[in-house]
Amino acid sequence: MVIKAKNLQDAEELLHSGINKVELAYDIGSDDFFRLATRWCDRGARITKGHQHFVVQIKGMAIPPNN
């Protein structure tokens, strides 16, 4: 399920809250795009171009078994 963000602050809050797929449903500027990409791609996120907007997707981290 994709959750839509209406601005950069909304996108950041959604990603910090644990939502793993956020559509940037607004016209994002280049400065904000690169700021978001730098912050979240370092954490394993992938940004792709959807039909109309960019989508930020964070892969779930696997937790190893506690043996």
Side-chain angles (χ1 to χ4, degrees), residues 11-59:
E12 290 278 349
E13 288 174 3
L14 289 168
L15 292 167
H16 277 292
S17 73
I19 304 295
N20 64 355
K21 199 167 189 180
V22 176
E23 180 178 345
L24 306 177
Y26 63 98
D27 291 329
I28 188 168
S30 60
D31 289 342
D32 286 343
F33 178 84
F34 287 111
R35 189 175 300 119
L36 185 80
T38 301
R39 184 172 297 132
W40 289 99
C41 289
D42 285 346
R43 298 178 185 178
R46 188 176 78 192
I47 301 175
T48 57
K49 179 71 170 150
H51 294 291
Q52 294 179 341
H53 302 104
F54 290 103
V55 176
V56 181
Q57 183 174 3
I58 300 175
K59 298 261 183 177

